Amino acid sequence: MTKKRFLDIAVPAVTGLCVLFVIVAIGAIMINIIVNGWSQISLKFLTSAPEEGMTAGGIFPAIMGTFYRTIIMSLVGVPVGTLTAIFLCEYVSANSPLLRMVRFAVNTLAGIPSIVFGLFGLGFFVQFVGPGMDSIFSAEGQIQWAQPNILWASLTMAVLTLPVVIVSVEESIRTVPHDIREASLALGATRWQTIWRVVVPNSITGILTGAVLAVSRGAGEVAPILFTGAAYFLPNLTHSLSDQFMDLGYHVYIMSTQSPDVDATRGIQYGTTLVLLCLTFTLNAAAIILRYRMRKRVNA
Amino acid sequence: METERHQIVTRNLDFFYGDAKVLHAINMNIEALRVTAFIGPSGCGKTTFLRCLNRMNDLIKGARHAGDIHIDGKNIFDRDVDVVSLRKRVGMVFQKSNPFPKSVFDNVAYGPRVNGVTGSRDVERIVERSLNQAALWDEVKDRLHDSALGLSGGQQQRLCIARTLAVDPEIILMDEPASALDPISTAKIEDLIAELKQKYTIIIVTHNMQQAARVSDYTAFFLLGELIEMDETQKMFTNPSKKTTEDYITGRFG
């Protein structure tokens, strides 16, 4: 057999094996979680708070906590990332040092371990911005913002997810044809009108893809919220931005490492993981449906 | 040379892309309410010159100019000239039809809307008037809210003309507006040009000699970034004063 023909057989075989490996790995995880978690799911599990040192009861506060922090994260991260991408594409020339610097920063940001973001959030938001806000907004001696809370955790998470939003929106903006920008400018539109009425509507799918990726990346992360807002256990739900919150991922982490009786919490761990997966899927699906609607409207 | 009738007057206009000089001291007078055609082989600078007239070349990195372009007596390169209102007065139709991926209505309404027309009755009136002027109304009046991308190529180009008319320009620049169209659509565009010159000054770049002869009152011949000759179209095509012009028009090169 010649070398060329050998490669023709070997390459599909090796690549196919890799695909199989991926499918088996994902399948094993999913099946394990679904089989063990499904029996846990009940209305009570979804709507009540943990009881008896987390060995019984539900995970409602954690569901709400994760939901809120993901939404706040998206509301901050997606617009900031989108505006950054617009600036990079529209106002900075393709070979300027500024663009290279920002791109380098974005790529570096994407490679930083998430625990470092957690420490950044603690140092920057909780210990620097927080005291500043307290000195302006809070009564003398009262600490409202200079402590971990859901706002700081969400903002930390937004910083973490910025790179994926920026890259996704940038790619999408760069595919908007040059000729329709020219058409807009030739009609006496200003640069901003052109961006707002032509470029952004035509990049809306990229912006929502950025949102999908941000939610996927952010919803399951635990490290960034460890020091910035997640709580072990809270008797009350989170009502304000300056409250701490419970979180599904963090809940799994503490039950499996901090609980006095880890075995007793195993079922709840599975159930929580399954709920976290479902919540992430739901948020993703919402963004994907929105993207589909928008795409239809833009092309209508 | 320059008289009252000349709406656009250029004086020693040079143009550069980086270090490459693509226009050499262009002096030209363009009359109001006439059709002026620019002809010449590819790369001769006629499109670059056209795009100077509404400062579309401002968008190109490393492009610069020397010399003046006066429109209605005002140098458009002066510091106090607002390029946005200049482009409103000097509309442009591009070589490749480029409707926005919006509805037919929204395409035509775009210009009025960005220029501050807000009342929906006013916008509707402008859209209908512009589509009528572009001889497109009857074909699209039942599908105003369908995507403009569903129109045929010729309809799309007339839509782009309607879109330009909607902002009420004085001058319309056309960069080979029919080069990608079939003969019937081309004829419609040419009829339209004849119609429009009653109200607008039209400058058209074309590769099609017959088209220049059919639609224009004046013809300017460019070669290698220089204006070789400009005269009444009738004279240019029957009795040009320069040998190169005659060679090009009769198809001896280019």
Side-chain angles (χ1 to χ4, degrees):
Chain A
M1 202 176 354
T2 67
K3 190 181 162 204
K4 271 168 80 176
R5 299 194 60 183
F6 170 73
L7 283 177
D8 250 10
I9 298 164
V11 171
V14 171
T15 50
L17 272 177
C18 291
V19 172
L20 191 69
F21 175 74
V22 171
I23 293 173
V24 167
I26 294 174
I29 295 170
M30 296 295 292
I31 290 169
N32 186 15
I33 291 170
I34 293 170
V35 166
N36 291 295
W38 187 248
S39 53
Q40 282 295 319
I41 307 290
S42 65
L43 195 62
K44 180 165 183 288
F45 183 70
L46 295 176
T47 56
S48 61
E51 290 159 18
E52 294 170 37
M54 312 228 172
T55 57
I59 53 166
F60 183 65
I63 295 176
M64 292 318 287
T66 299
F67 179 75
Y68 286 143
R69 80 155 165 85
T70 308
I71 296 292
I72 299 171
M73 169 199 85
S74 308
L75 289 181
V76 176
V78 173
V80 171
T82 302
L83 293 172
T84 307
I86 287 175
F87 180 79
L88 293 180
C89 292
E90 301 290 327
Y91 292 105
V92 182
S93 86
N95 44 20
S96 83
L98 177 67
L99 184 68
R100 260 178 286 152
M101 256 167 56
V102 175
R103 188 153 293 149
F104 178 73
V106 167
N107 290 338
T108 310
L109 212 57
I112 292 174
S114 49
I115 188 71
V116 177
F117 282 97
L119 292 168
F120 161 78
L122 178 69
F124 182 72
F125 293 120
V126 180
Q127 297 183 339
F128 177 70
V129 182
M133 283 175 65
D134 272 341
S135 68
I136 299 168
F137 298 114
S138 307
E140 188 69 29
Q142 195 193 356
I143 294 174
Q144 191 187 1
W145 296 105
Q147 58 185 1
N149 62 36
I150 191 165
L151 177 64
W152 301 146
S154 304
L155 291 184
T156 307
M157 205 60 103
V159 177
L160 171 89
T161 55
L162 270 180
V164 294
V165 179
I166 293 172
V167 169
S168 157
V169 177
E170 229 193 309
E171 276 174 8
S172 156
I173 287 180
R174 293 202 191 280
T175 62
V176 175
H178 190 66
D179 62 352
I180 60 174
R181 289 172 212 246
E182 282 201 328
S184 170
L185 293 167
L187 289 167
T190 61
R191 235 165 140 179
W192 172 246
Q193 285 174 324
T194 302
I195 292 169
W196 186 244
R197 289 165 183 257
V198 173
V199 176
V200 169
N202 281 284
S203 325
I204 196 79
T205 56
I207 294 167
L208 291 170
T209 301
V212 172
L213 294 172
V215 168
S216 309
R217 173 95 207 269
E221 279 279 1
V222 174
I225 60 172
L226 278 177
F227 321 116
T228 53
Y232 184 88
F233 175 73
L234 291 172
N236 300 316
L237 282 177
T238 304
H239 288 297
S240 102
L241 288 175
S242 60
D243 285 349
Q244 283 190 286
F245 64 104
M246 289 182 72
D247 179 86
L248 291 167
Y250 186 58
H251 199 59
V252 173
Y253 167 69
I254 52 166
M255 280 192 300
S256 56
T257 59
Q258 315 288 307
S259 168
D261 187 355
V262 172
D263 282 329
T265 65
R266 185 139 297 150
I268 299 181
Q269 289 178 37
Y270 271 114
T272 309
T273 309
L274 181 59
V275 171
L276 175 59
L277 279 182
C278 293
L279 187 69
T280 311
F281 284 147
T282 311
L283 289 169
N284 265 329
I288 289 169
I289 290 168
L290 192 64
R291 182 173 64 182
Y292 176 73
R293 291 245 170 104
M294 289 292 195
R295 194 178 285 162
K296 262 178 43 183
R297 227 177 65 187
V298 168
N299 296 332
Chain B
M1 280 287 285
E2 184 185 341
T3 70
E4 284 284 293
R5 298 173 297 134
H6 292 130
Q7 188 172 22
I8 305 175
V9 176
T10 76
R11 284 293 163 259
N12 292 321
L13 185 74
D14 294 334
F15 197 83
F16 306 82
Y17 291 124
D19 293 328
K21 190 171 182 183
V22 293
L23 290 179
H24 302 270
I26 306 289
N27 288 293
M28 187 187 283
N29 304 324
I30 296 173
E31 241 180 83
L33 304 183
R34 292 286 180 277
V35 179
T36 303
F38 293 174
I39 60 170
S42 297
C44 67
K46 55 195 187 305
T47 294
T48 299
F49 181 66
L50 190 78
R51 290 168 59 99
C52 285
L53 299 177
N54 66 346
R55 289 181 54 184
M56 267 330 249
N57 287 330
D58 286 16
L59 307 174
I60 297 165
K61 292 268 167 330
R64 65 202 163 83
H65 74 278
D68 300 334
I69 299 176
H70 291 269
I71 295 182
D72 294 329
K74 173 82 185 158
N75 186 0
I76 62 168
F77 293 118
D78 278 353
R79 274 181 185 282
D80 61 339
V81 168
D82 174 23
V83 67
V84 167
S85 51
L86 171 73
R87 290 185 189 139
K88 191 169 168 289
R89 286 168 54 212
V90 186
M92 186 159 203
V93 177
F94 296 84
Q95 178 175 7
K96 194 170 142 271
S97 63
N98 52 358
F100 300 119
K102 302 169 184 274
S103 71
V104 172
F105 185 92
D106 286 341
N107 261 278
V108 184
Y110 185 90
R113 282 177 181 154
V114 298
N115 287 299
V117 178
T118 48
S120 61
R121 290 294 310 147
D122 293 338
V123 173
E124 278 169 32
R125 219 182 45 242
I126 294 172
V127 169
E128 181 172 350
R129 188 204 71 204
S130 308
L131 286 169
N132 263 319
Q133 277 182 293
L136 192 59
W137 175 253
D138 290 334
E139 290 164 59
V140 300
K141 65 180 177 211
D142 298 323
R143 47 199 285 207
L144 287 176
H145 298 286
D146 294 355
S147 171
L149 302 179
L151 301 179
S152 74
Q155 289 173 327
Q156 286 191 13
Q157 194 60 297
R158 276 181 286 146
L159 179 69
C160 292
I161 294 174
R163 184 173 67 181
T164 302
L165 296 174
V167 295
D168 231 351
E170 299 160 30
I171 299 165
I172 301 175
L173 310 176
M174 296 187 172
D175 185 6
E176 298 184 53
S179 66
L181 303 180
D182 63 79
I184 294 173
S185 303
T186 302
K188 282 185 184 162
I189 301 267
E190 289 179 7
D191 291 347
L192 191 54
I193 291 170
E195 191 69 31
L196 291 175
K197 78 170 179 183
Q198 295 173 9
K199 287 181 67 182
Y200 306 93
T201 305
I202 294 173
I203 302 169
I204 178 171
V205 166
T206 179
H207 272 288
N208 181 331
M209 263 353 105
Q210 288 78 26
Q211 185 170 62
R214 279 193 302 264
V215 303
S216 70
D217 302 298
Y218 292 91
T219 298
F221 172 55
F222 287 79
L223 185 65
L224 299 172
E226 291 183 50
L227 174 61
I228 303 296
E229 186 176 354
M230 177 173 178
D231 213 323
E232 288 180 16
T233 300
Q234 180 80 24
K235 178 156 184 301
M236 283 286 277
F237 279 87
T238 51
N239 185 22
S241 40
K242 297 256 172 65
K243 179 80 169 61
T244 10
T245 312
E246 189 179 341
D247 288 349
Y248 182 72
I249 287 172
T250 53
R252 239 163 270 166
F253 76 98

